[in-house]
Amino acid sequence: MVTIVKDDDSEIYETRGGITVSRQRRATPYQDAVSSYVEKLDERRGAVFSSNYEYPGRYTRWDTAIVDPPLGISCFGRKVWIEAYNPRGEVLLSFISEKLKTVADLTLGDRTPTRLDLTVNQPERVFTEEERSKAPTVFTVLRAITDLFYSKADSSIGLFGAFGYDLAFQFDAIDLKLKRPDDQRDMVLFLPDEILVVDHYSAKAWIDRYDFEKGGLTTADKAGEIAPEPFRHTDAIPPRGDHRPGEYAELVVKAKESFRRGDLFEVVPGQKFMERCESKPSDISKRLKEINPSPYSFFINLGNQEYLVGASPEMFVRVSGRRIETCPISGTIKRGDDPIADSEQILKLLNSKKDESELTMCSDVDRNDKSRVCEPGSVKVIGRRQIEMYSRLIHTVDHIEGRLRDDMDAFDGFLSHAWAVTVTGAPKLWAMRFIESHEKSPRAWYGGAVGMVGFNGDMNTGLTLRTVRIKDGIAEVRAGATLLNDSDPHEEEAETELKASAMIAAIRNAKSGESKVGKAGVNQVGQGVNILLVDHEDSFVHTLANYFRQTGATVSTVRTPVPEEVFDRLNPDLVVLSPGPGSPSDFDCKATIKKARDRKLPIFGVCLGLQALAEAYGGQLRQLAVPMHGKPSRIRVLEPGVVFSGLAKEVTVGRYHSIFADPSTLPRDFIITAESEDGTIMGIEHAREPVAAVQFHPESIMTLGQDAGMRMIENVVSKLSRKVKEKAA
C-alpha cells in the first residue's frame, strides 16, 4: 500500500487489496452545505450524519453526507446480499465478489451483474470468550470488504449506514419469540463514491469524488445515474402503538419479579408509538435536528420506502487507531423551564441514588465488554456522571476508554459491546432474553447503531435511540426506560412517553416551521420605539440593553450625566434608568429624572433606578440589614400594573442591592406593585405619570424562570410609551 500521487485537490493510492483509488476534492460553499443532500434523501438512497452537539473532549460539530451510493450491503440473519445500484457499482461488486471467494466461512450463492447472494456459515468449533468476536458472522463479510479497501491514506471513505438490533444474536444467540417481518433487514451499509464533508471549526466544506480501478477494470468510464424512488404517503391509520396505556407499567411490575429472584440487575424494555407521516421524511429530519440537537443526528434512506431519522444522544463505539471509546448514558430527568430550573433538576438527578445505581451498573458492564478485547489495564473511566443536556431531558453520562489488543479491530470492539447495556440491561444476555419475551414487537433498528466504518480501520457509531423509523408511510418511535428493583412503574412509563415526545412532535409539526426550542421568541413590540438607557456605571447595563433590543426597539446607552443635547438629539420614547453601585446621589439622578419629566417622557427604573425615582419624588431610602448581592428572591405581585401584566402572582427574581425605598415615606401617587417576603419594595408604579420601576434585575440569570424578565421588558416597552401616546391623543 503506497500513495502514488498526492496534492491538495487529488490523491491516488493503492489499497491493501490491490485497488487503485483516485480521489478528487473540490470545495463547496460551507453555508447550508448539507441542505440539498437532506432533500435528495426523500427519493434517493444515502445518509446524512451530523453532530450538532458540543462536549469538550467528546463531541465536536461535523457533518458528512452521501447520496446515490453505487453499492449496498444488506443482511437478514446469516443471509447477506450485495447490490450494485448502477454500472459503477457493478465494477465494485466484481472486486468484492472476487475477494469473498477467498473467505472460507462463506457460502456464495447466486451472482448476477447487479447482485451477489451469500450465506455466512455456522461456526464449526467452539470459540473461547476472548476470541468469540472472530467467529463467523455477517461481520466476516465486512472484515473482508474492509481488508480489500484498507488504506491509512484516507480517513473519509468507508461503509455508511445502519446496524439492526438482531445482529447481536449472531454473537449472543437467544430463542426468538417475536415473529420478524419477511422484509426485515438487519443491516444496510452503503459504499459511496462521493462524500460531502463539513468542517465546522474551519468553516469549510468539500466533496470527495472517488474512482476505483483493478486489473484494467475501472469505474472511471461508467455511468453513475440511479433512478429515484420518491417517498410515498399512505392513507392507513396506525394504532397508537404496541402497548395500551398502563401496560408498560405492568411490565415494570413483572421486571421487579426478576430483580427479586436475582435473574436481572436492570433491564431496559421499550414500547413503540406510531404516527402516519403527513410530511416528507426530510421535513421530519429538519424538524428533529432543530428541536433536539445531538451528537449523533442522522437521516438515512435505506431504500424500499424505509427511512431512519434520529437524534441519538449516545455514542455506541468509536475507534480511532487502537483507542476505543464509549459513553454510557443512564440517569434521566426532565428539563426545567429555564436554566435556573435546569440547575435544580441537575442537583436532583445527581443526588438520586437510583440514577447513580443505573449508571454504575451500565458502566461496569461496559468495562466488562471492553476487557474482552482490550489490553489489560487499559480500560479506564475518564469521565464520571457528567451532565449532558438535550431538548427535553438531562442525562448523566460516563466516558470510558480502552486500547484494543493487537489482534483485535474495530469490529471486535463493536461486537463485544452489542448491544449497549443502556438499551438492554444486565446481565446483558438475560436482559435480552427478558426483552424478547416481554416486548410486544421486534425492535428492528432500535437499540442498534448508525454511523461509519472507515476503510482506515476507524469507526464512529451512535446508538439508534431517539429515532423515527418510517416504513411505507408509517412512522414508528420506540422508547425505553432503565428499570431497577426500586423503579416506580408509572414514572417509568411516563419516562418512555417523555423520551418519545420530541420525535412525535417532530413528526406532527414537521411542516409548521415554528421553533419550539426554549421560549417561542420575543414579541417585536418595540418596533419604532427609541430608548435612552442611562448607564450608572453598572456591570449589567449591556445585558439590559440587549433585552430591550430583542423587542425590536432602538437603544442608545449613555453614561450619566446626560446633557440636554443628548435628549434633544436622540428624542427618546422611553428613558430607562440602569442599576448601579452606590446611591442615586452619586450620579445626580434627580437631574436626569427632571429632564425626562420636563419632556413628559416615560421612565423605567431598574434597582438603583427605583431608588432614584423614589427619592426624586420625595421618598427616603434605607439600608438593608443584610445586602442582597447575587441572591434570588421570591416576590409577591400585589398589582400587575404595567410591569407584571400577565405574570404569575409569585415570581423568582435576581437581586443586587444594599439600599431600598422606605415604604412609609413613599409618596401617595406611587402604588407598590410587588414586594419580597419580608416586605421590601420590589416594584412601584406612578398612578398618574408613565413611571414604573423594579428593585431587582429583570436581565439576571436568576430572573429567567418562566421567561419572567423578558416578559417584564416587553410590558415596559409596549405599555409605558403607549400611556404617553394615549394621553397625547
Side-chain angles (χ1 to χ4, degrees):
M1 285 189 304
V2 292
T3 299
I4 303 169
V5 177
K6 185 174 183 179
D7 60 35
D8 290 342
D9 299 318
S10 64
E11 184 173 12
I12 301 174
Y13 60 88
E14 185 174 306
T15 73
R16 180 183 285 163
I19 296 174
T20 299
V21 180
S22 303
R23 188 195 71 196
Q24 293 291 324
R25 175 168 294 178
R26 68 180 189 274
T28 192
Y30 166 75
Q31 205 68 26
D32 300 321
V34 299
S35 296
S36 63
Y37 282 77
V38 171
E39 291 168 3
K40 287 176 183 176
L41 293 185
D42 281 326
E43 58 182 22
R44 298 182 180 278
R45 292 182 189 88
V48 171
F49 295 114
S50 299
S51 179
N52 52 343
Y53 182 94
E54 289 276 353
Y55 195 102
R58 188 179 307 165
Y59 300 124
T60 56
R61 293 175 63 238
W62 54 269
D63 296 301
T64 189
I66 62 171
V67 69
D68 279 340
L71 183 133
I73 307 162
S74 305
C75 79
F76 177 58
R78 303 181 79 82
K79 301 291 186 182
V80 181
W81 58 98
I82 306 173
E83 297 173 282
Y85 303 132
N86 60 18
R88 293 173 62 83
E90 293 177 22
V91 173
L92 294 171
L93 182 57
S94 294
F95 299 159
I96 292 170
S97 296
E98 290 302 311
K99 173 68 175 180
L100 295 182
K101 287 178 182 177
T102 66
V103 180
D105 294 320
L106 307 178
T107 299
L108 271 57
D110 294 340
R111 167 76 163 94
T112 71
T114 61
R115 177 166 170 147
L116 169 65
D117 287 88
L118 59 98
T119 302
V120 180
N121 300 336
Q122 292 287 347
E124 295 181 350
R125 65 177 178 87
V126 173
F127 286 78
T128 67
E129 286 299 302
E130 289 77 11
E131 63 175 349
R132 190 151 57 88
S133 58
K134 303 292 188 185
T137 64
V138 297
F139 288 85
T140 304
V141 179
L142 301 185
R143 276 198 175 96
I145 294 172
T146 301
D147 184 69
L148 176 64
F149 288 92
Y150 182 88
S151 172
K152 286 290 186 183
D154 194 333
S155 61
S156 296
I157 194 165
L159 301 174
F160 296 73
F163 302 86
Y165 178 78
D166 281 4
L167 284 178
F169 305 140
Q170 299 193 25
F171 184 68
D172 276 319
I174 69 171
D175 293 331
L176 299 184
K177 310 290 187 183
L178 297 167
K179 186 181 184 309
R180 270 56 178 175
D182 294 337
D183 61 352
Q184 175 171 308
R185 292 174 289 176
D186 297 337
M187 179 181 73
V188 175
L189 297 176
F190 299 125
L191 200 170
D193 57 2
E194 187 171 280
I195 305 171
L196 168 73
V197 179
V198 182
D199 181 345
H200 291 290
Y201 282 92
S202 64
K204 293 181 179 178
W206 62 88
I207 295 172
D208 285 335
R209 173 72 175 180
Y210 293 87
D211 275 303
F212 307 88
E213 186 273 332
K214 182 180 182 183
L217 186 61
T218 179
T219 60
D221 56 352
K222 300 296 187 295
E225 290 75 21
I226 300 174
E229 181 190 356
F231 172 69
R232 293 194 297 268
H233 294 274
T234 181
D235 294 327
I237 305 295
R240 171 185 180 268
D242 62 358
H243 284 62
R244 56 175 168 76
E247 194 171 8
Y248 189 89
E250 295 170 5
L251 176 57
V252 179
V253 175
K254 292 179 182 176
K256 287 189 164 195
E257 296 172 3
S258 295
F259 299 143
R260 284 191 289 270
R261 286 195 303 269
D263 296 344
L264 297 172
F265 307 139
E266 63 179 0
V267 68
V268 194
Q271 63 170 314
K272 181 171 70 174
F273 303 88
M274 303 175 75
E275 294 275 333
R276 182 173 64 178
C277 283
E278 304 289 347
S279 305
K280 296 183 296 185
S282 62
D283 292 329
I284 297 171
S285 174
K286 293 172 189 173
R287 185 72 173 149
L288 185 58
K289 189 174 179 181
E290 176 190 356
I291 67 175
N292 198 23
S294 70
Y296 289 94
S297 290
F298 54 92
F299 175 27
I300 310 174
N301 181 338
L302 298 164
N304 302 342
Q305 291 296 306
E306 188 172 17
Y307 304 78
L308 294 178
V309 180
S312 176
E314 184 168 350
M315 180 192 300
F316 176 54
V317 169
R318 184 165 68 190
V319 176
S320 303
R322 309 302 301 170
R323 186 188 189 218
I324 181 171
E325 299 172 83
T326 52
C327 294
I329 291 178
S330 199
T332 302
I333 199 166
K334 185 179 179 180
R335 286 287 300 264
D337 292 332
D338 53 76
I340 299 299
D342 278 343
S343 70
E344 294 169 353
Q345 291 290 84
I346 289 169
L347 286 174
K348 190 184 299 182
L349 178 59
L350 290 175
N351 285 321
S352 167
K353 293 302 180 185
K354 171 188 175 294
D355 288 293
E356 183 179 6
S357 295
E358 284 184 18
L359 186 57
T360 297
M361 283 191 274
C362 289
S363 293
D364 276 345
V365 174
D366 185 279
R367 292 166 63 235
N368 177 75
D369 293 339
K370 284 185 181 59
S371 295
R372 188 200 306 263
V373 295
C374 288
E375 294 176 353
S378 70
V379 178
K380 300 184 185 302
V381 178
I382 58 175
R384 173 62 174 161
R385 295 200 82 198
Q386 297 174 320
I387 292 294
E388 288 186 5
M389 302 176 69
Y390 296 92
S391 65
R392 304 186 182 203
L393 299 170
I394 304 170
H395 294 300
T396 45
V397 184
D398 283 355
H399 191 176
I400 304 173
E401 70 171 8
R403 183 173 178 81
L404 291 170
R405 301 201 313 262
D406 289 340
D407 60 336
M408 295 292 171
D409 59 19
F411 294 116
D412 294 302
F414 188 101
L415 277 169
S416 185
H417 287 79
W419 288 113
V421 65
T422 51
V423 294
T424 55
K428 191 186 293 187
L429 186 56
W430 283 55
M432 288 194 289
R433 288 177 183 142
F434 180 92
I435 288 167
E436 181 68 20
S437 297
H438 291 88
E439 285 190 337
K440 298 291 185 180
S441 57
R443 288 191 164 192
W445 303 103
Y446 174 80
V450 296
M452 175 203 176
V453 178
F455 287 152
N456 65 345
D458 291 349
M459 174 184 287
N460 192 2
T461 56
L463 272 175
T464 314
L465 302 173
R466 311 288 199 274
T467 298
V468 180
R469 178 204 182 204
I470 303 168
K471 177 63 175 164
D472 297 326
I474 300 296
E476 301 173 357
V477 174
R478 191 179 289 264
T482 302
L483 310 184
L484 295 124
N485 189 52
D486 50 358
S487 289
D488 179 279
H490 298 291
E491 287 182 4
E492 300 292 5
E493 179 165 338
E495 181 176 317
T496 66
E497 293 170 349
L498 178 62
K499 287 177 176 176
S501 63
M503 277 69 68
I504 293 172
I507 298 164
R508 293 175 178 173
N509 303 319
K511 286 187 173 179
S512 70
E514 298 172 3
S515 175
K516 297 192 177 180
V517 181
K519 58 192 179 194
V522 179
N523 294 322
Q524 295 293 292
V525 296
Q527 292 288 348
V529 177
N530 191 15
I531 297 175
L532 169 60
L533 175 53
V534 181
D535 177 11
H536 301 121
E537 300 177 0
D538 182 56
S539 293
F540 309 118
V541 65
H542 296 295
T543 304
L544 187 61
N546 179 280
Y547 269 47
F548 279 104
R549 289 190 181 103
Q550 288 181 60
T551 70
T554 300
V555 180
S556 300
T557 306
V558 180
R559 282 199 177 176
T560 187
V562 183
E564 298 277 2
E565 175 271 330
V566 170
F567 276 93
D568 295 338
R569 175 163 49 86
L570 296 180
N571 190 26
D573 300 300
L574 171 66
V575 175
V576 177
L577 305 176
S578 86
S583 63
S585 60
D586 293 322
F587 302 101
D588 195 11
C589 290
K590 287 183 179 179
T592 304
I593 292 169
K594 183 178 185 305
K595 292 170 187 174
R597 291 183 70 189
D598 288 346
R599 290 166 171 77
K600 295 183 168 44
L601 295 175
I603 307 172
F604 176 59
V606 177
C607 207
L608 181 89
L610 180 146
Q611 300 158 21
L613 285 165
E615 195 172 55
Y617 279 82
Q620 296 180 12
L621 306 179
R622 299 282 184 266
Q623 189 168 309
L624 289 169
V626 178
M628 295 295 288
H629 296 161
K631 302 288 180 65
S633 250
R634 193 75 174 164
I635 67 168
R636 293 188 292 265
V637 176
L638 306 176
E639 294 286 343
V642 167
V643 177
F644 300 104
S645 177
L647 273 76
K649 288 292 186 183
E650 289 193 358
V651 181
T652 299
V653 300
R655 295 168 64 181
Y656 291 88
H657 67 112
S658 302
I659 300 171
F660 67 100
D662 184 345
S664 66
T665 67
L666 199 66
R668 272 186 288 178
D669 282 338
F670 275 102
I671 302 163
I672 299 175
T673 55
E675 65 180 14
S676 65
E677 293 176 345
D678 62 1
T680 303
I681 291 177
M682 288 288 109
I684 59 174
E685 186 171 329
H686 201 283
R688 293 178 291 105
E689 297 181 26
V691 173
V694 294
Q695 185 58 70
F696 56 83
H697 286 240
E699 83 288 352
S700 170
I701 192 173
M702 295 176 285
T703 317
L704 286 172
Q706 300 172 5
D707 207 20
M710 193 66 236
R711 291 168 66 188
M712 294 175 199
I713 298 299
E714 290 177 346
N715 285 338
V716 168
V717 172
S718 64
K719 297 178 187 298
L720 271 187
S721 58
R722 189 190 308 156
K723 269 191 170 186
V724 174
K725 292 175 183 176
E726 286 172 353
K727 276 194 172 185

